Structures are given as C-alpha cells and as structure tokens.
Amino acid sequence: MKVGKLFRRSILASAVATAAVTVTPAFAADENYDGDLKKIYIMHTGDLHGDLDTHPNARDDATGVLEGGLARAATVIKKLKKDHAGKIVWGHTGDTIQGSAIATYTQGKALVDVWDALAPDVFATGNWEYVYGLYRYQQLFGAEGDIRPIAPTEYSSMFMKPMDPSGQVYQGFNAKNAIMSDQNGEKRRWRTIAANAYYNGENPGPGVNTKAAGEYFTDPYYVQNVNGIRVGFLGCTTNRGPQVVSSNVTKGVTFTNCMGDVKFPQNKPIQWTSDDHPNRNKAKEVSVTNPAGAEVAPWGSTVGYQTVPEIVKFTEILRAAKDSDTKYINSQTGAPYKGEGVDLVVLMSEAGIPESVWNAEHAVMPEGVRFPEVVLSSDTHERTRQPVVVTNKDGNKTVVVEEGEDGMQVGLIELEFANGKLAGWDWTRYDIDETVAPDAEIADLIEDAKAPFMSAVAGGDWTEGDEFVNPFNGYTLTKPLDFQMASTQIVLERNRFSYEHEKDNLKMPADIEGTLHDVYTDAFRALTNADVGALRGFRYNNTIMPGPVTIDDVYHSLTIGAMVASGEIPSSPEAEAADVDGDGKGCFIGSVEVNHKKNDCHYMAWPRSLVQEMELSGNGTQQSNVPGWSGGWFFNYSGVNFDLDVYKPNFNKYGKGLRSRVTNVKLVNPKTGEAITDGSVGSLPPMVSYASYYYDADWNRINRNQVTSADKCAAWPSRSCADDKNMFILA
C-alpha cells in the first residue's frame, strides 16, 4: 500500500485542505484489459447533526481556525459536482435533522430546506432521523401514500404533535431536485434507503400507513448508472433508534444491525405473518419458557428478532446478473428478487465506523459474492484522515471512510474501471473550515432559517413575543438563541482523543469524561439537590470556548429536548435484592434461581441500580466485541466516584454477576470531593436520589431508570402520578 503525501489545492478563491490517498492494489482487475478505462467519483458527507455554522475545535488536531459549516461545505460540493459532471454520485449518510435548537424547533425542516438546495443522490438515514416520530420521518423522507392526515383528536396519542398534520409528504422549496424517483418509481427525498428497518406488527400511531409485519419501512437499495458503471447503493440505518428520547418514538418499527440480528431491547420482536416469511431467519431463532414480563420477549429468546442478514442478502441481489432470478423472495410480490447486475456495491452504513470495519472483516458471504467494495460510514462522528482498508474473509478489500460531524469534511473516492472491473482508486479529503469561502446560495438559506430565532444583533428578526415550543417537552422559548445565559472560563467539550489526558489542564480522554458533561451533571445534581447527577455519554464534536455561553450553545451540546427530574433508585444490585421501595417486591438479579421468573421490574438492559447503570455503560463502550457497542461514550456523573477497569469482562445484565468493571463506588461531597461513603460493597445507602433527564412519554423512568412501577401509576402518560410518587421534575 502506498499513501500519497498531504498537499493543498486551490478551490475557487479559497484554500481547501486536502489529502490524496492512493491504494491501487486494493482491488483485483483484469490484467489483460484493452485500455477501456472509465472513472467515476463517489462523494460522501454525513453526520450533520443540525449544525449550520462553523465551530471551534480545542482538540489536539485543531488548526486554529473554525471548522465545518454547511455553506462552506456547499462550496466544495458544488465544485466537485461541476468538475466531475456526469461521472459523480453523492451519497449522504445520517444523522442530519437533529442536533441544534433550529433543527429541534422546526422538527428538522430547517436542515431539510438547506440541504434540498444541494439534494444528495442517495441517503441512508441515521437514528436521529426518527427522533420526531415516524409520522414526521415519513413526511420528510417518505413517499406519497405513506401517511394520511391526522385529526386533532389524535394528537394526544402521538409521541409528538406534528408541525404539519396534513398527511402530505413535505416537498420543500426545491421539490424538483430534492424529491427523486427511486427504482420502484416512488418519489422519496434524496432517494432514502434502509435495508434493516421493518414494520413489526405494532400500531405505529396515527397517520402512518403500515404494511404487514416483516415488510420494509423504506426501500433497501438504489441503483444508478454513473458514466456507464452500474453502482448499487445498499442502505443500513440505525440499529437502535433514538430511544433515549422515548420508548415509543419508533413504535411499530424494529431495526436490525444489518446482519440479521436485533441488538437492542427497545426494538420489539417482529410479529411475523408466517413461519416462512422471506425476511425471517427462523433457523436462528431460540425459544425459552421463563418470561420476564409483558414488556419484553422471553428472556434469552430470539423469536421475532432474527432476519436474513441484510448486507449479505442485498449484496448478492445487487451483484446477480441483471434480471436473473435470485434465491430471495420479494415478500410484496411473492416472486424472486431480480438481480441488478451492478459493477460496484457501496454500503451506506449508519452503524458507525467500528462496526462497519467489523462487518467488512467478519461477514461470511455466499461463495462467489464479495463484500461491498466501499463503505460510506456514519454515526460515530469520526473523521478518517485516510481510508481504512479492510481485508474481507475471502481476501478481497473494502474501503471504509467517515467524514466527521457538522460538515467538517467532504470525502471523494475516485474509482477506475477496466472492462467493467474495478482496477484502482484514489481518495481525497476536503477539510471544511473558515479558509473555504461560503457558498452564497446556501449562506442565504441558512440566514433565512436562523432569522426567526436570532436577535437583530445577531442578524435575525426575533422580536419580543416571538415564541417557539419545544416539541419534546412543551417548553416555550422566550429568548433568542443568541441570548447569553452563562459564561465559562474553561473549554467545555467532550470530544478529545483517548490519549489526551492532562489532569492539570482539564483535558480528559472523552471516551470516559469531559468538562462539558461534568458541568451538566453538576447542574442536574445541584438543581434537584440529588445525591447523584448523571448524563448519558453523548459524543459531539462541538466545543464551547471560554467566554459567553448562549442558548444555542446549550442546545447544540444537549439536544435531546429533555426535562430534568430526580427520584430515588437502588444504589446497588445488593440493594435491589431487598424490598427497598416498600412495594412488597424485591427485584433481585443476583441469583440464577429467581432470575427472570416473576421479576416484573428488571427489564432487559434497563438499569435498576446506580451500579448496574455504570456497568451497562461499560458493556456498551468498553467491550472487545464491537457489535455489542451501544453508541455514545461512558456515562458521566456528579456526586459519585468509582474505579473503572475497562479491560474487565462484561457485566452480566441477566443476573449471573453483580460487578465487573466498576468497583469502589462511593458518594462524595461534590464541593470538597471528600468521600461520604467508603466504597466497600454494602456501604452505599440502599437508595440514592438520582437526577438526570426525563420525558413525559416515559413517565416512570429517569434516564432509563425505573422509579415508579406500573402498578402504582396505571395511567399513561401521567406526569402528575410521577410527581405524586416523589419525583421532582424541572421543566
């Protein structure tokens, strides 16, 4: 393998940092080709996360200038499309419509309006595309007929009140370019694809027109002819959904990991319409007899969770001879899928770069069918400085790239074909920062999108009385987003590299901790007078530099629209074994004999104690089995110290172990840092007051910890019931 040197290239009137990487031997070509060479270009963007503007970076890779920004990225995108007209195809991967105040308050419309002016050729959605509910998803990315008008009487049963209940797919200002026909003749924004999202048989709520259980939520793939080369794009969306927001946000749809397995318990089992459903992998299903309760499938069971591995299935379909019958049945038509005869398969994966690499290394493909040559990855917000070249099990090579977050990088793969066979490739990285001139059209659209939310000082037209309602929690925004709500004397971030650990300079390896999350957990604990403040390990690349902190800054660093609540939870598995809440029931998880039989409060993978939550966070971020990762980084805490050994084995969440990675847990005085408890097993009080985010839609849980049992609050949703049960909620 040879790697080209870094160099700079002039684009328009601006300097755009680029890097070229050439790895010609990665693909085998016909050595006897007759000189018929063709080139195509695949451009890639992803993980915009609602960010419209450039932003600072304080990590070790900082260049001293602001990075990202959609108007600046648009300059590069338009230039590349012009330079390679007729030979270029643009693949965009999620997450796009969540991550900022403007995205939240418009339920994604602001980002869609801007990106529609550029209109990607094909789009693989991310987990946050679903955050406003399935109705809004179909409104933005569905086809005509996917939704129907919603009556006002139905609003109360929806996860989120829709901004537009008309039942119309949102066309936007640039409908001709933004809404494109797919291979089935339907029109979907940016030709949205996802092979691993299924209707599961549950009612997805008002307005969404469902198909039968086991049917695809959207088209699995898209094929485009690019300069005479037939390219198949296979989409893999989230494998978990934005369940942090609500257990019901994606009700009615189940996601697999695109290799045939459902990893997260938030996904309900698919209620297959028949034993021989073409998408079902019944041979892998296992049934057990000791159920844990009505909310989950039988413990240990895989019934309803197993599908035919999507990457394997659709790669074989895409590569099969054009119009030939494949062994796979199209469940909608009852006929075999027809081969697509593509020359190249591009996997658009929202699994994140670690799992994308893992799949390329470990996937077992049918004989004669090779794994996709290219993976356009998203979700983990990594910026590949050079591609990851993976060797498949059969010795072939796959190129994996990811473009960071917030428009900080555009990638371009140049592919050369000889007699229809891939012969070699180059990759060029375009770093987007303030040295790149913003595109005027996109800059104007961004200004229009921001204007209602910004004061005149910031170039907006906010006036007193302009109010917007947060769709997640009903909070009314009464100040412009540029309003200064605080200030900081230190850098607030959680995006450093694992080797950045300078305690005296407040540099922390962000996989474990960061100053930004520390501030939030301190605030949660202090505002509610709780023992412990906690926050999930969100990993954003945004940084707040010393100086003013605006409302916009806060929304872009904590964008899930939550309220804050505190309530009492068991401190440890030992405490959980006892009847600490006085309801006559214990929730003991330490004995195999009683585990999962009549236990109606220990739900699969839901934390039931503070220590268990810590252990589950370790399971999701520190284990060697990459497909077991759950996204994000380790939880952050205030008011508690503990020792973490990342090399220990997984905590067994089904009750065969009490501790693994986490030891010496002790409550501390957050002001002095002095220990309140000594850290030995049993030294913690049975119950601790715990403060974190909260949603009305999950009225009995604080940050997934169940604090009020269903038999105490029969109504749903019932915030008043939660209040009555000693939960303290801050709107």
Side-chain angles (χ1 to χ4, degrees):
M1 183 178 82
K2 60 179 181 178
V3 179
K5 295 181 179 179
L6 301 181
F7 65 95
R8 288 187 175 270
R9 177 179 296 165
S10 175
I11 290 188
L12 300 180
S14 307
V16 179
T18 64
V21 179
T22 303
V23 190
T24 303
F27 306 109
D30 182 355
E31 295 180 356
N32 298 315
Y33 69 86
D34 59 9
D36 181 19
L37 295 176
K38 290 184 177 180
K39 287 186 178 182
I40 67 169
Y41 299 84
I42 298 175
M43 182 168 59
H44 180 218
T45 55
D47 274 326
L48 298 184
H49 273 291
D51 197 15
L52 300 170
D53 300 313
T54 54
H55 50 81
N57 178 11
R59 284 191 319 205
D60 275 6
D61 64 342
T63 61
V65 295
L66 296 176
E67 300 176 349
L70 298 196
R72 301 180 193 279
T75 297
V76 175
I77 291 168
K78 287 186 176 183
K79 181 66 165 57
L80 293 176
K81 290 174 71 173
K82 180 179 179 181
D83 287 349
H84 305 297
K87 300 179 181 180
I88 190 170
V89 58
W90 174 17
H92 178 57
T93 48
D95 301 307
T96 298
I97 61 171
Q98 178 272 347
S100 66
I102 292 174
T104 296
Y105 281 97
T106 63
Q107 293 186 20
K109 181 178 181 294
L111 270 293
V112 167
D113 279 350
V114 172
W115 220 228
D116 271 354
L118 300 169
D121 295 301
V122 59
F123 176 46
T125 52
N127 51 312
W128 292 106
E129 260 65 70
Y130 304 87
V131 72
Y132 309 110
L134 297 183
Y135 182 84
R136 185 58 165 175
Y137 174 96
Q138 293 287 36
Q139 200 168 52
L140 296 178
F141 303 111
E144 297 290 348
D146 283 340
I147 51 177
R148 63 164 176 78
I150 301 174
T153 55
E154 297 176 299
Y155 293 165
S156 62
S157 60
M158 297 185 71
F159 159 68
M160 181 180 294
K161 182 179 178 180
M163 292 189 67
D164 176 10
S166 68
Q168 299 297 313
V169 171
Y170 172 66
Q171 296 292 312
F173 84 97
N174 197 2
K176 180 179 178 182
N177 292 331
I179 307 293
M180 303 177 181
S181 294
D182 60 21
Q183 63 270 14
N184 295 323
E186 292 181 312
K187 289 185 176 181
R188 293 179 182 273
R189 174 167 273 104
W190 315 333
R191 297 190 182 104
T192 303
I193 55 175
N196 59 320
Y198 299 87
Y199 288 105
N200 61 25
E202 282 194 308
N203 182 356
V208 180
N209 296 327
T210 65
K211 301 175 185 176
E215 298 301 303
Y216 298 110
F217 186 58
T218 189
D219 289 335
Y221 66 85
Y222 170 71
V223 177
Q224 182 166 325
N225 190 303
V226 186
N227 193 29
I229 301 300
R230 193 166 170 82
V231 183
F233 292 89
L234 171 57
C236 287
T237 187
T238 176
N239 57 4
R240 58 190 181 276
Q243 302 291 349
V244 63
V245 172
S246 169
S247 300
N248 299 291
V249 63
T250 54
K251 181 181 179 182
V253 172
T254 289
F255 303 96
T256 76
N257 63 358
C258 229
M259 290 298 290
D261 300 311
V262 175
K263 183 168 62 173
F264 291 93
Q266 301 96 314
N267 288 293
K268 300 294 184 181
I270 298 171
Q271 302 168 25
W272 297 103
T273 55
S274 64
D275 281 350
D276 60 349
H277 192 288
N279 294 332
R280 185 178 191 178
N281 191 353
K282 197 168 187 294
K284 285 193 66 177
E285 293 181 357
V286 176
S287 181
V288 295
T289 58
N290 53 333
E295 288 204 13
V296 295
W299 291 112
S301 172
T302 59
V303 175
Y305 288 114
Q306 300 298 310
T307 63
V308 176
E310 293 81 4
I311 293 176
V312 176
K313 170 182 177 177
F314 286 108
T315 299
E316 186 170 0
I317 291 170
L318 288 167
R319 293 198 190 279
K322 185 75 170 69
D323 296 327
S324 65
D325 285 346
T326 69
K327 66 182 181 183
Y328 301 105
I329 302 299
N330 186 323
S331 58
Q332 288 186 294
T333 65
Y337 269 102
K338 298 294 184 180
E340 294 287 355
V342 302
D343 303 303
L344 178 79
V345 176
V346 178
L347 174 59
M348 300 179 66
S349 171
E350 225 270 334
I353 198 165
E355 192 163 340
S356 294
V357 170
W358 176 280
N359 287 337
E361 290 176 334
H362 292 85
V364 178
M365 305 297 293
E367 186 175 354
V369 180
R370 63 150 298 162
F371 192 85
E373 291 91 340
V374 175
V375 178
L376 306 180
S377 179
S378 195
D379 185 58
T380 39
H381 311 163
E382 300 291 351
R383 176 165 43 172
T384 47
R385 294 296 184 173
Q386 58 185 13
V388 180
V389 180
V390 181
T391 301
N392 312 135
K393 276 187 171 294
D394 59 8
N396 286 310
K397 305 288 185 181
T398 292
V399 176
V400 185
V401 292
E402 191 163 307
E403 313 304 339
E405 185 195 343
D406 295 348
M408 66 171 58
Q409 180 174 293
V410 176
L412 185 71
I413 303 176
E414 176 185 318
L415 299 141
E416 188 171 73
F417 288 79
N419 286 342
K421 294 184 179 181
L422 186 56
W425 62 278
D426 292 333
W427 180 74
T428 305
R429 182 186 82 238
Y430 295 87
D431 289 329
I432 308 302
D433 58 37
E434 62 182 348
T435 65
V436 181
D439 175 79
E441 178 191 18
I442 301 302
D444 285 345
L445 289 173
I446 291 173
E447 184 178 351
D448 291 343
K450 292 171 59 176
F453 299 93
M454 298 293 182
S455 70
V457 174
D461 54 20
W462 168 285
T463 57
E464 198 68 36
D466 284 349
E467 296 180 343
F468 299 91
V469 177
N470 187 313
F472 294 107
N473 57 30
Y475 170 76
T476 300
L477 183 69
T478 58
K479 297 289 184 182
L481 295 181
D482 56 299
F483 177 81
Q484 180 180 344
M485 58 186 302
S487 62
T488 177
Q489 296 179 344
I490 64 172
V491 176
L492 299 179
E493 43 70 35
R494 192 183 190 182
N495 53 38
R496 294 192 178 276
F497 299 112
S498 59
Y499 61 79
E500 292 189 78
H501 188 197
E502 299 177 19
K503 182 178 179 181
D504 292 341
N505 293 323
L506 293 178
K507 290 185 178 181
M508 311 169 190
D511 180 42
I512 305 299
E513 193 171 8
T515 53
L516 183 59
H517 280 41
D518 283 351
V519 166
Y520 284 133
T521 56
D522 284 346
F524 293 172
R525 181 201 52 74
L527 286 169
T528 61
N529 197 31
D531 297 323
V532 177
L535 184 65
R536 293 179 65 87
F538 294 116
R539 190 256 168 124
Y540 286 114
N541 281 335
N542 58 297
T543 301
I544 302 175
M545 300 299 287
V549 179
T550 66
I551 295 175
D552 206 25
D553 290 329
V554 173
Y555 266 94
H556 191 50
S557 57
L558 188 61
T559 57
I560 56 175
M563 295 174 282
V564 177
S566 69
E568 289 196 326
I569 64 172
S571 61
S572 65
E574 293 84 4
E576 189 182 9
D579 180 20
V580 293
D581 59 1
D583 65 356
K585 301 175 182 178
C587 292
F588 191 45
I589 66 169
S591 168
V592 177
E593 285 71 27
V594 299
N595 188 33
H596 312 316
K597 290 185 178 179
K598 295 182 179 180
N599 185 346
D600 63 353
C601 47
H602 177 221
Y603 299 152
M604 185 193 298
W606 299 141
R608 273 291 297 171
S609 70
L610 177 63
V611 170
Q612 186 189 9
E613 180 184 79
M614 295 172 179
E615 290 283 9
L616 289 174
S617 181
N619 285 7
T621 60
Q622 310 298 330
Q623 63 173 295
S624 58
N625 179 38
V626 172
W629 294 2
S630 58
W633 286 356
F634 203 89
F635 281 35
N636 261 181
Y637 296 95
S638 172
V640 62
N641 285 353
F642 56 95
D643 294 333
L644 174 67
D645 186 342
V646 299
Y647 298 104
K648 288 290 182 68
N650 273 3
F651 168 75
N652 189 296
K653 59 194 174 189
Y654 304 117
K656 295 180 182 179
L658 299 179
R659 284 177 175 78
S660 180
R661 293 184 177 89
V662 177
T663 57
N664 197 30
V665 182
K666 49 192 171 185
L667 299 180
V668 299
N669 184 316
K671 293 183 178 179
T672 66
E674 295 178 355
I676 299 173
T677 59
D678 64 13
S680 61
V681 174
S683 70
L684 292 171
M687 303 290 284
V688 293
S689 55
Y690 174 94
S692 190
Y693 56 76
Y694 165 85
Y695 291 93
D696 281 335
D698 276 341
W699 53 265
N700 63 338
R701 292 187 179 126
I702 299 176
N703 195 13
R704 292 291 169 191
N705 289 274
Q706 184 177 325
V707 294
T708 307
S709 61
D711 59 348
K712 290 184 177 179
C713 287
W716 183 93
S718 177
R719 186 182 189 183
S720 60
C721 177
D723 284 330
D724 290 342
K725 301 305 174 185
N726 299 317
M727 286 176 61
F728 175 65
I729 301 170
L730 293 175

